Amino acid sequence: MKDDLISREELIKKITEQYDMQYGNYPLSNVIDCIQNQPSANKQDEIIEQLKNVVILCLVL
């Protein structure tokens, strides 16, 4: 995967275009909240890794 920067807004737009109310087993609103709380100017790979960690944490809880 490239190290291109990605905006939170663009990521949310892409996800909401592809998914209706759920992203896997997670409510889309929770995924969007998680994205909006990410620091700005992160590299795409870093954001994806952080989101994976949040999903794992949700599975544990």
Side-chain angles (χ1 to χ4, degrees):
M1 203 176 272
K2 296 184 208 176
D3 284 337
D4 296 338
L5 296 179
I6 184 170
S7 72
R8 291 177 293 221
E9 183 178 325
E10 186 64 26
L11 181 59
I12 291 169
K13 179 181 173 190
K14 294 288 184 185
I15 289 173
T16 55
E17 287 173 355
Q18 294 183 13
Y19 301 94
D20 192 18
M21 297 299 290
Q22 297 252 134
Y23 180 77
N25 293 327
Y26 305 98
L28 196 54
S29 61
N30 289 2
V31 176
I32 291 171
D33 288 344
C34 180
I35 293 168
Q36 289 175 328
N37 290 324
Q38 293 297 312
S40 59
N42 274 336
K43 293 183 178 178
Q44 183 175 359
D45 291 341
E46 293 172 7
I47 291 175
I48 291 170
E49 189 61 35
Q50 289 174 6
L51 288 172
K52 286 179 185 177
N53 291 336
V54 168
V55 168
I56 290 169
L57 180 61
C58 288
L59 289 172
V60 173
L61 301 175

